[in-house]
Each structure stands twice: as C-alpha cells, then as structure tokens.
Amino acid sequence: MTIELVTLSKSFGGEQRVYRHKSATLECEMTFGVFLPPAALEEKKRCPVLFFLSGLTCTHENFIQKSGFQQYAAKHNLIVVNPDTSPRGVNIAGQDDSYDFGSGAGFYVDAKLEPWSKHYKMYSYVTQELVDVVNANLPVVPGKRGIFGHSMGGHGALICALKNPGLYQSVSAFAPIANPTKTAWGEKALTGYIGPNPADWAEWDATSLVSQYESTPQELFIDQGAKDNFMNNLLPENLLSAAAGNDHIQTIYKLREGYDHSYFYIASFIAEHFAYHASLLKAA
Amino acid sequence: MTIELVTLSKSFGGEQRVYRHKSATLECEMTFGVFLPPAALEEKKRCPVLFFLSGLTCTHENFIQKSGFQQYAAKHNLIVVNPDTSPRGVNIAGQDDSYDFGSGAGFYVDAKLEPWSKHYKMYSYVTQELVDVVNANLPVVPGKRGIFGHSMGGHGALICALKNPGLYQSVSAFAPIANPTKTAWGEKALTGYIGPNPADWAEWDATSLVSQYESTPQELFIDQGAKDNFMNNLLPENLLSAAAGNDHIQTIYKLREGYDHSYFYIASFIAEHFAYHASLLKAA
C-alpha cells in the first residue's frame, strides 16, 4: 500500500502530484496523478475524492496537462486521483500493436482470456486496490467518492459505478463508450479480453447494466459533443433509452453544439462537472 | 501570405485552430496556433490580437494544450496567435543535438552566423512576417496588439517589444530569461547564433535593452515562480534593477510563492495576464 512521489508542482494553490506504486492486482508498477486542493494542504482538512478515468492511448498525464481541472478541484476542495489506462511494463505479445487494444487500452475490465488475464484487471484495480491505496495514503473523507471519465474512461466510470452501488456518490462521463457491445472499439476489446461469446460481454456494457440495474437510485450525468468524430463508437442514445425504461436510473444529458471528442471539449465543460460532483459529494 | 488550416476544435465557445504557412523569412513551412473568441466568430467582430511565445523544446502545441488560456481569451474577446519556437524541416548539421540550441530553441533572435543565419530569423518572423500574416488573414483590430511568453518566450516577448516601441500595446512575461548574456542558456545561444563577442549580444538582452530604452514609456508585467528550478538562467532581479534606473520603463513584478517553471504555474496565473492585456488593449 505504499506509494512513491514522482513529481510535485504547485497549481492553483494546491499541488499536482504524480505517484507510482507496485500494484498487487495488476502485478506491475503503476503511475497515477493526485491533486490535493489548498484545504487539504494548508488546513489539513480531509476532502472528498474524485476519480477520473482517461480514454484510449492516454497515460495519467493527459488529463493532468490538458483538462484544466485543477482550478475547479481547488475551488471545490476535491482531491482528484487519475490512474493510467492499462497495466504498464508487462510483456505480452501484441500489447503494442494497436491503439485500441492492449497498452493504453485496458477498457476498465477484468480480462478472462490468456495472456491478458494475468495483468489486465483494470476494473478490480480501479474499484478496489486504488480505492484502498487512496484511503491509506491520502487525506480523504471515507465514503465521499465520485467517479468520472472520458470516452473509454467514461465507459469505465459508468460500469464501475453501476456494478458497485454506493461505492461512488457521484458519476459523470464525457463522451462515454456507452454501449460497447454494439461498437467496433467495444467488440474488439471484449472479444480480446473476455472472449468470443457476446453473451459474456453484457456485464461490461453500461447500457446493459443500466437496463438491469435494480439497486439504490443512481443519477448519471452524460456529456456529449454534438460534433464528436467518434460518435459511432459511443452511442449515448442507447444508454439514454435504457435509462428511460428504468425508474432506478436518472440521467442528465448535455449535448454540446459544435464540440468534438478532444480535450478542448473536456476543458470547456469541466467546470460544470466539478460543480456537479461537489454538490453531490458535499450532500453525501 | 496564404495560410492553410490544419485543425479546428471548438473551445469555450470560440475555436482553437492550427494553421501552417510557407514562411518567406525562415524559408521553411511553419505551424502556429490561432484562437478565435466567440465575438470574432458569431458577431464577426474584429478583436485585438495577443501573441504568445513559447519556451525551450516547445512547439505551437504546448501552450494550446497546457495553459488553459482559451477560457480567458474567450472572456476578453482576444485573438491569440502562438508560433513555433524555431524553424522546422530545415537541414542544419547539429540542429537536433541539444534541447537549448537549434530546433525548438530559436531564441527569437536573427542569427548572424552560418549555417544558422539562413533560416534562424525568429525575431524578424515574429515582429514582421507573422504580424503581416495575421493582419492579412485574421479579423484583428489594426494596431491593437499585445505580446507575452514563457521562459525563452518571455525573453522573446520582452526583446520584441523593447526593440519596437509602439508595435505592442501590452507586454508580459512568465519566468523570462531576463538577462541572457549573464546565463548559461543565453551565452550558448548567443555565441552560436550571433558570435563569440559578448559586445554583439546586448541588442538581444532584455536587461540591456531596458537600460538603454529612451522611447515612449513602456510598462512590463513580469511574473515569476519563487520555486523556479531554472532561476539561474532567468535573473529577473537584473531586469528590475535596470528598470528602476530608467524613467521610461515601469514594471509590475509578481513573485509567486511555491510555484515552479512548469505549465502548472502558467495555468495558475494566466487569468491575470489576460485581464492585464485586455485592459491595456481595450484602452489602446
């Protein structure tokens, strides 16, 4: 459970840090970002924690450098933790062959198939080990926890929340892969990590999980650029339709006219997501 | 004078664009960023333009992706143009040997020595050709023009302004190389581009230029992180001392406790720089 500081830069009165640790779940060394807001540093106050999951090809660095989130984490006194998108430094044949499978593309699932199943357990890493590591090492308020993400990471945030009612008190997603079993990215990833039978994929599909959800009522804030060049891989309407048929799921949907899939889009609306998470986490 | 659109993403209601063009001054193809605020797009309003010059190793991308400036350019209705840091795609022996000389390190001077003098004329490029290109292609208000930059680009902003009184109505710098003739970075660059005689360097040194400045009164807003790991290469106190002895130069100096040299520092204070430039450019 020990973590090692890699870098630290003051940012908006808080500190943007990068840590690394030896992950028992993934059996490799992993790197993640941590933002500590001024209140956590100066007043030594415990703060809620918000997890951000990144998209295809990203490391922990993209969100830290491109989203401009630190300003709003500082304003709302939220700790932000953002992990990498796959195991790293492992040696699996073919892991670097494509941008949408293997390195940088763990899809936040627990792989069932060899050779991926030894290391590629990003779902358990995010929902269990990383939560424990954060609880053990950072000044978080126990039980005040949110999750959000972008694209593949939006999918990750949704499935992590839907499969663990109560673990996160606030959930949002930018341009999530909302129905991966119906898309090229999703089919490739689920075939490779889970297996060839589509019946085995449903537990990793946010739209399927929304259809079947029967636990404590859950609100999902879905954000989408109307000019997103990857819309065929996202299919937010399918998730919205499923949610419309399930009283246990409420959705907030914002379609942003003219915006694409990039961090320019995320940065433009991240203030709204922080305000949303902060209001729910404060109330939790 | 024609420019070609490379990318366009909507950002904070405006558009972050990247253009390329064939530079006559540098004799190579150059890429630069352009942010158009909502007013320039929706109301087809002409807006003042603010030039940003980047530091060592940067391309046009770093500032666009990491500073979070778009929010404030949109708010203040400023067009922002940020060029690359050196000629590109030229073929000079040794150009890629070090991070602080050659590619990515043009230092915003006009080189006098072979083989650099054929292409490395970033000073003329920024103060003449790029100004003309912007005037010819973008909806700018003629004569309402500001300049700022970071590190090597802070040095660039200061020398471009000090050598051209009246060209820019507002000038600021984040952690500028304020007295390059007295630093390792500066000595290496000026020796290589200008020549071995330190007497020839003074016209490219902001502190020397401040000492000798006799034209219209000029205000300089200098910003500096107190925990900057490159302070030995920056020497802002030397410029402040020179300014204190010259009635034609006013300085605003902000020392930021705990901040380093990174884009995390720039992002934390860029709102202040936009407010500063906007107030001067509106009044100009």
Side-chain angles (χ1 to χ4, degrees):
Chain A
M1 285 297 155
T2 58
I3 61 178
E4 181 192 350
L5 184 67
V6 181
T7 62
L8 186 162
S9 284
K10 193 168 178 181
S11 168
F12 288 97
E15 287 179 2
Q16 180 61 60
R17 302 180 180 187
V18 172
Y19 285 98
R20 75 179 142 227
H21 74 133
K22 179 94 190 118
S23 164
T25 308
L26 307 178
E27 296 188 28
C28 66
E29 193 165 76
M30 292 293 285
T31 306
F32 59 96
V34 171
F35 181 80
L36 293 179
L41 295 164
E42 292 158 18
E43 305 161 33
K44 310 243 179 250
K45 213 174 126 178
R46 288 187 171 270
C47 299
V49 61
L50 186 51
F51 290 86
F52 182 87
L53 305 183
S54 299
L56 286 169
T57 76
C58 289
T59 67
H60 64 284
E61 284 196 322
N62 305 62
F63 180 67
I64 291 174
Q65 295 182 342
K66 296 183 177 182
S67 71
F69 84 83
Q70 291 89 352
Q71 178 175 182
Y72 308 104
K75 176 181 171 186
H76 294 293
N77 287 327
L78 296 176
I79 293 170
V80 177
V81 173
N82 65 304
D84 205 341
T85 54
S86 75
R88 300 286 178 180
V90 300
N91 193 8
I92 300 179
Q95 67 182 6
D96 300 325
D97 288 358
S98 50
Y99 78 99
D100 54 359
F101 190 77
S103 301
F107 268 84
Y108 307 101
V109 302
D110 283 354
K112 308 292 179 205
L113 291 186
E114 293 283 351
W116 307 100
S117 52
K118 180 171 164 59
H119 297 289
Y120 277 66
K121 297 176 183 163
M122 289 298 290
Y123 170 71
S124 291
Y125 175 68
V126 166
T127 59
Q128 295 172 26
E129 186 176 6
L130 193 60
V131 171
D132 292 342
V133 163
V134 164
N135 286 343
N137 291 283
L138 300 174
V140 294
V141 185
K144 288 207 180 195
R145 199 179 291 119
I147 192 164
F148 69 145
H150 172 233
S151 195
M152 176 181 75
H155 144 79
L158 292 171
I159 65 168
C160 288
L162 290 163
K163 289 165 77 71
N164 297 279
L167 183 60
Y168 308 99
Q169 285 74 54
S170 58
V171 185
S172 77
F174 290 98
I177 304 175
N179 192 186
T181 59
K182 300 280 187 289
T183 70
W185 280 344
E187 283 190 30
K188 178 172 177 181
L190 293 168
T191 302
Y193 294 134
I194 306 300
N197 185 357
D200 299 333
W201 301 347
E203 64 163 317
W204 306 108
D205 183 297
T207 297
S208 300
L209 292 169
V210 161
S211 299
Q212 292 153 20
Y213 188 87
E214 288 181 339
S215 188
T216 356
Q218 179 67 56
E219 188 173 83
L220 307 173
F221 173 13
I222 311 289
D223 204 302
Q224 178 62 57
K227 218 175 160 184
D228 193 311
N229 31 334
F230 298 106
M231 199 70 99
N232 286 347
N233 272 299
L234 306 176
L235 310 180
E237 329 75 42
N238 294 5
L239 185 144
L240 296 172
S241 298
N246 185 341
D247 289 346
H248 297 80
I249 300 282
Q250 276 72 51
T251 53
I252 300 170
Y253 184 59
K254 300 264 177 104
L255 188 66
R256 314 294 190 171
E257 199 56 49
Y259 285 86
D260 62 21
H261 198 69
S262 69
Y263 268 93
F264 296 119
Y265 150 63
I266 298 177
S268 298
F269 300 104
I270 203 157
E272 279 188 42
H273 284 250
F274 270 83
Y276 175 75
H277 286 276
S279 71
L280 290 178
L281 292 171
K282 201 165 287 182
Chain B
M1 284 297 156
T2 59
I3 61 178
E4 180 192 351
L5 184 66
V6 181
T7 63
L8 185 162
S9 285
K10 193 167 176 181
S11 168
F12 288 96
E15 288 179 0
Q16 180 61 59
R17 302 180 179 186
V18 172
Y19 285 98
R20 74 178 144 229
H21 73 134
K22 179 92 191 120
S23 165
T25 308
L26 307 179
E27 296 189 27
C28 66
E29 193 165 75
M30 291 293 285
T31 306
F32 59 96
V34 172
F35 181 80
L36 293 179
L41 295 164
E42 293 157 19
E43 305 160 34
K44 310 240 180 252
K45 211 174 126 178
R46 288 187 171 270
C47 299
V49 60
L50 186 52
F51 291 86
F52 182 86
L53 306 183
S54 299
L56 287 169
T57 78
C58 289
T59 68
H60 65 285
E61 285 196 320
N62 306 62
F63 179 67
I64 291 174
Q65 295 181 343
K66 297 184 177 180
S67 72
F69 83 83
Q70 291 90 350
Q71 177 174 183
Y72 308 104
K75 175 180 171 184
H76 294 293
N77 287 327
L78 296 175
I79 293 171
V80 177
V81 173
N82 64 302
D84 205 341
T85 53
S86 75
R88 299 285 179 181
V90 300
N91 192 8
I92 300 179
Q95 67 183 4
D96 300 325
D97 289 356
S98 50
Y99 78 99
D100 55 358
F101 189 78
S103 300
F107 268 86
Y108 307 101
V109 303
D110 282 355
K112 306 295 178 205
L113 290 186
E114 293 285 351
W116 308 99
S117 51
K118 179 171 166 60
H119 296 289
Y120 277 66
K121 296 175 184 163
M122 289 297 290
Y123 171 71
S124 291
Y125 176 68
V126 167
T127 57
Q128 294 171 27
E129 185 176 8
L130 193 60
V131 170
D132 291 343
V133 163
V134 163
N135 286 343
N137 291 282
L138 300 175
V140 294
V141 185
K144 288 205 179 195
R145 200 179 292 118
I147 192 164
F148 69 145
H150 172 231
S151 194
M152 176 182 76
H155 143 80
L158 293 170
I159 66 169
C160 287
L162 290 163
K163 288 165 75 74
N164 296 279
L167 182 59
Y168 308 100
Q169 285 74 53
S170 57
V171 185
S172 77
F174 289 97
I177 304 174
N179 193 187
T181 58
K182 299 280 188 290
T183 70
W185 280 344
E187 282 191 29
K188 178 173 175 178
L190 294 167
T191 302
Y193 294 134
I194 306 300
N197 185 357
D200 298 333
W201 301 346
E203 64 162 317
W204 306 107
D205 182 297
T207 296
S208 299
L209 291 168
V210 160
S211 298
Q212 292 153 20
Y213 189 87
E214 288 181 341
S215 187
T216 356
Q218 180 66 56
E219 188 173 83
L220 307 173
F221 173 11
I222 310 290
D223 203 303
Q224 178 62 56
K227 216 174 158 183
D228 192 312
N229 30 335
F230 297 107
M231 200 70 101
N232 285 347
N233 272 299
L234 306 176
L235 310 180
E237 329 74 44
N238 293 6
L239 185 144
L240 296 173
S241 297
N246 185 341
D247 289 345
H248 297 80
I249 300 283
Q250 275 73 49
T251 53
I252 299 170
Y253 184 59
K254 299 262 179 105
L255 188 65
R256 314 293 190 173
E257 199 56 48
Y259 285 86
D260 62 22
H261 197 69
S262 70
Y263 267 94
F264 296 117
Y265 150 64
I266 298 176
S268 298
F269 299 104
I270 202 156
E272 279 187 42
H273 284 248
F274 271 82
Y276 175 75
H277 286 276
S279 70
L280 290 178
L281 292 171
K282 201 165 286 181

